[in-house]
Amino acid sequence: MTLKMAMRILVVMVLVGMAGLARGAETKMLFDFEDGKLAGFDGGKLTTENVPGGKYGLKVEKGFVVREGKQDWSGYDLLKIDVMNPTGEAVMLLVEVRDAQTKDYWTRVNYNSVVPPGKSTVTMPTDMYVGEKSRPGRALVKEKVTFLALGPEKYPLVFGNFRLEKNDTAAVVFAGLKAFDFGPAEQQVMPGYTGVNTAKYDKARGFGWDPRGYERGFDGMQPDSLFGDFVITADDAAFRVDLPNGKYHVLMNIDCPGGYWGEVQHFTHRQVSVNGKLVVDEKMTLEQFKTKYFRNAHVEDLPGVDTFSQYVEKMFDVKQFDVDVTDGKAVFEMKGDGFWPIAISAMVIYPAEKSEAGKKFWEWTTQQRREQFENYFKQVIPQAKGAKAAEVGYRVFSRNFMTPPGAMDGPLAGEWMRMEGLSVTLAQGEEGAVCFSVQPGEDIGEIDVIDSAMSSEETDPGTPRPKVTAGWLDYRISRVTMEGTVYEVKPRYWHPGPAPAAKGAGGGVTRTFWLRVKAPEKTRAETYRHTVIVMPAKGKATVIPLKVKVLPFAIDGITDVAAGPWGHSIGLPWEDGAVGGGKGKWDEEMLAKSLGVIREAGCTTVTGLPHIGVKASGGKVVLDFSRADREMALLRKYGFTQMINSYGGGLGYAMYGTETGADEGFAKKAGFADAESFLKALYGGIEEHAKANNWLPIAWNLCDEPIGKDILPSAKNAALHQKVADELGLKYSVFTGATSMEGNDAKNPHYGLVRALGMPSLNDHDEASIGLIHQDNHKFSFYNDGNRWTFGRYMKALVVHYGLAYRTTWHFNIAAGDPYYALDCREDDYCWYNTDEHQTMVPSLSFLSQIQPGLNDYRYLTTLQRLAKENGDAAAMKIFEKQVALIAGKDRQSPEPEAFEKDRKEVVDAILSVLGRK
């Protein structure tokens, strides 16, 4: 089956399924253009070609198409827009909705969707929040919609039949049914359900918390309106429902999909009783938690994956049980230990004799959940690139390691495997990459890759030789839009050993093999030759020559800047309790492993350390350095010498400040006259201990991208900390904070904050804002946007010309929530390393193809800089100066992959020239 055929079938299935769900639903047509008019839309034109339905359609050929004017969407559940996409590939679509309260970007709805090739329907819930999915605000005022805009990424698209629909709940609800959707007060309630939040029991209403129960409502914003929001109960909660006497069947979900920032539910023991009868009694050990937490570590996603079945449904273990009601009520008592042990999102109760109707309602509920998920999270099926697969056997080809092929790709022009095979050039001590891909034309089964023993042109078995570790890249769900509402399947993590057989939406899946080649520091400068053997389980083996050229020099380590990831380890979201234990051992082992791979890659810093115990009372501060000393010793052991950042590791008080500035309340409660005297006692004590125990310097983080009204108090808090630093003459502490600023305009809201911080860390920056920092004799730090360019040549330019002192980016391990499912929270796609239940260190493609080679680029430039200076080589220094002749901010954008190879060759040639070896 071809990709286009698969796409047509997928679209037909979606349309047929949606048509089936829509039968009997009440519809309100907003705009259909059948009168031959544009219905008030600006930016498009009327057309009769490629119309998705009816005679006329609205064609968009550039920009946005906009409809201003009052619209009442109240009483309806869905907005549906038919669309025809003749481009032959999936097109991103931004939908913008405003209401009478909209004033700016964050008070309007910004909704991302994707339009597959051919005819389809964009479906959106009318219960929407303004802002973005990843940063939602208030609910849209549905009865006062004033503006609707559609912005395609590519053109043309043709739209038609803008309509509102109600979900047809009448066909599935029945007498005796009780269906509750739990969540915060502003939750989106699933159709057919009654919303429950803080409500205490009320006889007239017939349900509620009795009298204890509601602790906190939470909206995880995924995967659907029923299971995505929930109520976190008190430690000993009770929920009462009035019912006629009789026997009832109950379905109840007390599992949550995770919090907005990836908070993971866990417990050691939880119970649910109904009218005194125990119906749920679950215990969990650390080992059981690890099995659940890493359940998807060894699963691979392929294009067309049924994400709802593979991930969403497996998040939840819905409880089902029968209860007897003898006194007119069912009282559900819930208790547990751990983190959010009871997170109740749904409860369905119906008479036992109506089991068939009850099952039908639950099946309808599940279908509604699936439809909501698939309307909100749109998967883009990749368009195949390159040559089609052969009918038999397989093809081997090679593409630049920075842009490996997708699952449906074949070789592009110039990528066919040549007779001379593959090659890589390495400095002594450097790790490089050799990549090739296998495109099957038929089922060839599991694919193993074996590398032969090394040989060299000048045989000398007594010297170290380059080491090759063969592995493959898996495919994982990855976000196209930041919040994940549009996603695709892309290469993600590296695994050693054979690659499994697989088939995707378009047939056989292209497998990419990544050979990690490292030359030990004392490897002889020679050309080493060996062979790579591709061995499919079915079919013939293929032998590929591999040439490894080792250069006659080692690249210098990084000593002039603190550079590395946010984060420092891979923890477990688990609290040791009465059952199990062992988290402390896990954390210690993972910290050591993590620092090892971070340092081996060339990084010089981490964040989130050290952990200092702080007790403040009676005007005195008592500090516990026991854990921090162990952490500092471990950092020294692995060779870290640069400043580290405290981000994520607090000191007990509100380091980010309060609504009025510094945390005066904490200081006075601790017996200090004011915040200043407390800060002097705190950081003075840290300074004394750090000096006496040879600590690394610490950048204490005081803010994280404050905006609006939060900027001024953040600046006041930073100014007080800096005053303390200046008066104490701190050498081991500097105060930093994450923000952005371009230019040096004093009217910029961030102006005061940037000037107050001793080392402001800027995402957006330019020459003027960096100059403002230097004006106060403060240090410049740069964060985020982690790629080969910003960890290589651009970072070197910032150090040389702008005095960059610190550089970090997201994130060593930000695989929050389910660590192998990218749609359940934020920023999984920035992860450098992941792990599994066995503590395997699993590097990501982002780390291998961007961060590590970028750090090596930096080291090559540092080596050239040193050699040119030591040897007074003007020609070599000219090459170096050319490489770092970049302007802050203006030259931040990464070039194409080919440019990196050109840069590397120029630097290597210059180094060899200085050494007299060219």
Side-chain angles (χ1 to χ4, degrees), residues 599-855:
R599 187 72 190 99
E600 184 179 11
C603 294
T604 57
T605 192
V606 294
T607 72
L609 300 174
H611 292 94
I612 301 173
V614 179
K615 292 183 179 179
S617 64
K620 294 183 179 180
V621 174
V622 178
L623 302 173
D624 180 358
F625 296 107
S626 55
R627 182 178 176 185
D629 283 337
R630 293 196 301 272
E631 292 166 343
M632 285 292 182
L634 199 59
L635 287 165
R636 289 289 192 188
K637 175 183 176 181
Y638 281 99
F640 289 90
T641 59
Q642 299 290 312
M643 179 186 299
I644 59 174
N645 188 308
S646 71
Y647 187 96
L651 292 176
Y653 75 106
M655 295 181 69
Y656 285 17
T658 67
E659 293 180 353
T660 58
D663 191 356
E664 295 285 349
F666 179 93
K668 291 178 179 178
K669 186 177 180 180
F672 289 88
D674 50 29
E676 181 175 347
S677 56
F678 163 70
L679 294 176
K680 285 183 175 179
L682 173 64
Y683 289 100
I686 293 173
E687 180 79 5
E688 182 180 349
H689 185 86
K691 181 178 180 181
N693 291 273
N694 191 32
W695 274 20
L696 300 176
I698 307 162
W700 299 100
N701 199 76
L702 299 182
C703 63
D704 187 358
E705 300 179 350
I707 59 174
K709 63 181 179 61
D710 296 328
I711 300 175
L712 181 58
S714 290
K716 291 175 64 177
N717 181 51
L720 182 61
H721 280 77
Q722 189 57 40
K723 179 184 177 184
V724 168
D726 292 338
E727 291 183 359
L728 294 179
L730 297 181
K731 303 296 184 184
Y732 286 84
S733 291
V734 65
F735 295 110
T736 187
T739 187
S740 289
M741 183 175 174
E742 294 175 309
N744 55 11
D745 185 355
K747 296 179 181 179
N748 188 317
H750 293 89
Y751 181 89
L753 176 60
V754 170
R755 295 202 67 174
L757 291 164
M759 189 178 74
S761 191
L762 303 185
N763 181 7
D764 296 335
H765 58 269
D766 60 11
E767 282 192 327
S769 59
I770 297 172
L772 182 68
I773 295 169
H774 292 161
Q775 179 180 320
D776 293 300
N777 294 316
H778 290 174
K779 298 177 180 179
F780 165 48
S781 172
F782 163 39
Y783 76 98
N784 278 8
D785 196 17
N787 56 50
R788 183 173 179 178
W789 180 250
T790 60
F791 268 88
R793 188 175 162 190
Y794 183 72
M795 183 167 75
K796 189 65 180 180
L798 292 183
V799 170
V800 172
H801 297 302
Y802 302 96
L804 178 70
Y806 201 97
R807 195 269 183 272
T808 49
T809 192
W810 289 98
H811 194 284
F812 180 68
N813 177 256
I814 192 60
D818 181 330
Y820 285 93
Y821 174 54
L823 303 184
D824 61 346
C825 60
R826 292 166 54 96
E827 296 171 335
D828 287 33
D829 299 289
Y830 297 96
C831 176
W832 288 20
Y833 264 86
N834 211 334
T835 191
D836 59 17
E837 67 274 25
H838 305 299
Q839 297 185 308
T840 307
M841 298 303 292
V842 184
S844 70
L845 177 63
S846 174
F847 172 78
L848 292 175
S849 68
Q850 297 287 340
I851 305 301
Q852 183 166 274
L855 291 165

Side-chain angles (χ1 to χ4, degrees), residues 209-252:
W209 299 104
D210 181 29
R212 61 204 185 280
Y214 184 93
E215 179 77 16
R216 179 187 180 194
F218 200 100
D219 188 352
M221 302 177 197
Q222 62 84 33
D224 55 77
S225 65
L226 184 60
F227 284 6
D229 46 35
F230 44 91
V231 166
I232 303 161
T233 67
D235 292 339
D236 191 8
F239 184 76
R240 172 175 169 174
V241 183
D242 291 343
L243 296 167
N245 291 346
K247 188 173 184 177
Y248 293 84
H249 189 68
V250 179
L251 295 99
M252 183 179 182

